Each structure stands twice: as structure tokens, then as C-alpha cells.
Amino acid sequence: MEAVKGRDAIVCLLTGTIDDEVFKAAGSQCKIFANYAVGFNNIDVKAATANGVLVSNTPGVLTDTTADLAWALLFSTARRVVEADKYMRAGKYKGWAPMLLMGQDITGKTLGVVGSGRIGTAFAKKAIGFNMNILYHDLKPTPEFEKIVRGSKYVSKETLLKEADFVSLHVPLLPGTKHFISDDEFRVMKDTAIVINTSRGPVMDEKALVRALQNGEIWGAGLDVTENEPEFEPELGNMDNVIILPHIASASIETRTEMGLMAVKNVIAALQGEVPPNCLNPEIFNS
Ligand code: DGY
């Protein structure tokens, strides 16, 4: 609250909850809260509009970077890369063995993409190179997704969960997507399935994930986000079939630089009385 007082513009992070109280603390001279992230579940945009404050985000520049990290998680989980590295460093490798650290194939498998927005589309597009059968689910079919991801098929949530070897989450955190994957969903998945989450932690019920892994309902999980960051369910830390990263999906030098520039461009536009290029509440200019 102290930090925002008297500022003309604020660049905020996804770790800061920006609500009515914060807008009021910032005061009426503050023109914009420019989020240094594409996801803006940390900001109450309605309250911003009610307080006459602009809000912006950083879409587009992190699409491929985030999709790439989702693939890194998928590969590392399926082929047990992190576990194998730890094994090596622990001096356990005594020579090649037929059954050592066997994982899951990726090429030719069925990929389930939940969320057909920018990042989901970029992620799915990369699967074409691996000859995958690509299923996707969203509120409704997305022609743009199907155009870019040739051969993909829109299916119900249940069909996707039932048929996918890999389920990757690319939806924003909204009231309707909280715990989108929970006990019932894990039960439907194949026991060889791997779930990847690079969206927001609460999209997946983390306690349910622990239960699903303990009961052998799925095979593994690759997480870039957890439900209560920076915390995670302690059981996950003891599971070799789980990879947990500290929310680094957009963390490449190029992308984080672009995100910073974008946030600053939004700030400059707002201070000049113009609609910021990535404004989330342009209706302010009409009121
Ligand atoms: C975002 O932008 O929403 C990511 O989670 C961090 O880059």
C-alpha cells in the first residue's frame, strides 16, 4: 500500500494482488497498473475500471517461450530426464541396463490440449512434428486453432481426459477453471497419462494430484506452477515422477526483456493520455 501511494503509474507483478484497496491507496493520479505478465488473475479489472485506472498485460511475446517450456516439461517427465540426471550425479550408474529408467514414448502418442488460446495453439502446433494425434478442448471449437494445428480434433473434456497420453493445461485462471482438474478428472485419465501445467496452479487441484499419483491413477506430472506459490504439496517433493519448476515458463532473456518493454510502452501510452496497446479495460476512455 505504501509503495503505490503517489505514483503516476505502476508496473506490477503476478505475485501482487491488485484490488480495490490497492487502487484506492494508489489514489486518483495513478493512471495505470501495467502487469508484467499475460495472465492477470491477480488484478481485479472491474475494480480498476470503477476507480478509473487502466490495466494492461503482456500478451503475445511469451507465447512460444511458454509453449516451449511446456514441451520441456513433457519431455523431461516422459523420459525421466531430471530423475536420470540425479541418478547419475548420485553415482548410481554402474553401466547400461535394458530396464534402466524406462519412460514413455512421445512420438505418435495422443496429446490433449486444454485451452485453445495463443499458448495452447503454439504448444499444439509443435506436436505436428512428433506425429501426434492432437485433441483439444475449450468452451467451444476454435477454427483458428484447427487451421494452425492441422489434423487436430475438438473433443469433450471427458473424451480428452480418457484418450490423451499427455494432458497439457493452457487456460487462464477464472472462477470456472479453478480445479478444472481434480479427483474425478484424474480418475478418468489413463494410468499411463502425464499431466503438464504451465497455466496457473489453482487450475489443478494439487491435493487431488497427490492422491492420483499415490493411487497410480496417472503416471507423472510436470508443473511450472503450483497452487499456492511458492509453496507446493510436500508429498510432490518426494515423487520422482513429478517435476516442479518455479514458474519459469516465460523466463528467457529475450522474452522477459520484451515483456518489460511492453509494460513500459503501456505505461508511456497511459501517461500520454492514449489507449495503451495492451489495455484490458479500454472502456475507461468511453466513460
Ligand atoms: C504470465 O505472463 O502470465 C506468466 O505466468 C509469467 O510470464
Side-chain angles (χ1 to χ4, degrees):
M1 297 299 169
E2 275 308 305
V4 298
K5 247 180 221 156
R7 310 286 168 190
D8 297 306
I10 314 269
V11 174
C12 53
L13 306 182
L14 57 87
T15 44
T17 301
I18 312 295
D19 56 14
D20 189 60
E21 208 184 339
V22 178
F23 295 124
K24 297 247 160 23
S28 58
Q29 87 293 343
C30 185
K31 300 280 176 296
I32 183 167
F33 276 71
N35 213 32
Y36 181 70
V38 65
F40 53 90
N41 52 290
N42 57 312
I43 303 184
D44 184 341
V45 180
K46 267 199 190 132
T49 308
N51 283 279
V53 187
L54 295 164
V55 177
S56 64
N57 67 341
T58 62
V61 289
L62 48 76
T63 301
D64 275 302
T65 311
T66 303
D68 290 351
L69 199 276
W71 276 103
L73 277 172
L74 192 155
F75 272 102
S76 320
T77 314
R79 299 303 305 271
R80 302 171 66 176
V81 172
V82 174
E83 192 186 346
D85 177 84
K86 281 190 202 148
Y87 182 88
M88 203 66 185
R89 287 166 200 260
K92 291 185 183 164
Y93 183 49
K94 301 293 176 226
W96 191 90
M99 312 271 273
L100 181 62
L101 288 160
M102 292 190 297
Q104 304 273 356
D105 270 335
I106 293 153
T107 300
K109 290 280 186 79
T110 296
L111 182 66
V113 183
V114 178
S116 54
R118 275 182 295 258
I119 298 173
T121 306
F123 172 78
K125 187 180 166 197
K126 295 169 202 277
I128 297 171
F130 293 104
N131 262 336
M132 296 180 94
N133 170 31
I134 305 163
L135 308 178
Y136 79 101
H137 178 75
D138 208 316
L139 292 175
K140 54 181 173 34
T142 312
E144 187 62 11
F145 182 99
E146 290 177 29
K147 197 171 121 202
I148 294 172
V149 188
R150 295 186 308 276
S152 60
K153 193 169 148 206
Y154 179 81
V155 291
S156 68
K157 179 180 178 185
E158 190 173 359
T159 302
L160 182 142
L161 296 175
K162 234 186 230 166
E163 295 185 8
D165 296 300
F166 304 98
V167 175
S168 191
L169 306 177
H170 302 281
V171 288
L173 175 59
L174 301 166
T177 58
K178 180 159 190 236
H179 287 187
F180 189 80
I181 303 290
S182 188
D183 291 296
D184 287 349
E185 286 74 19
F186 286 123
R187 253 174 249 128
V188 172
M189 288 187 203
K190 295 182 179 180
D191 58 10
T192 50
I194 290 173
V195 63
I196 305 297
N197 191 8
T198 52
S199 61
R200 285 291 183 264
V203 171
M204 186 151 70
D205 179 346
E206 207 167 294
K207 287 193 182 349
L209 171 67
V210 171
R211 287 190 286 274
L213 289 161
Q214 283 170 340
N215 299 337
E217 284 165 5
I218 62 167
W219 201 76
L223 313 173
D224 182 48
V225 286
T226 57
E227 204 168 336
N228 298 299
E229 289 177 29
E231 313 292 326
F232 56 88
E233 287 298 317
E235 290 93 336
L236 295 176
N238 299 323
M239 294 176 175
D240 281 332
N241 49 347
V242 176
I243 296 176
I244 321 175
L245 305 180
H247 204 149
I248 55 163
S250 68
S252 72
I253 295 163
E254 297 91 332
T255 292
R256 287 283 164 91
T257 304
E258 283 301 321
M259 287 166 65
L261 289 172
M262 233 173 161
V264 167
K265 280 181 190 154
N266 283 307
V267 165
I268 292 171
L271 293 180
Q272 290 176 338
E274 292 160 12
V275 184
N278 313 105
C279 190
L280 295 165
N281 55 352
E283 61 273 19
I284 284 192
F285 285 88
N286 307 326
S287 57

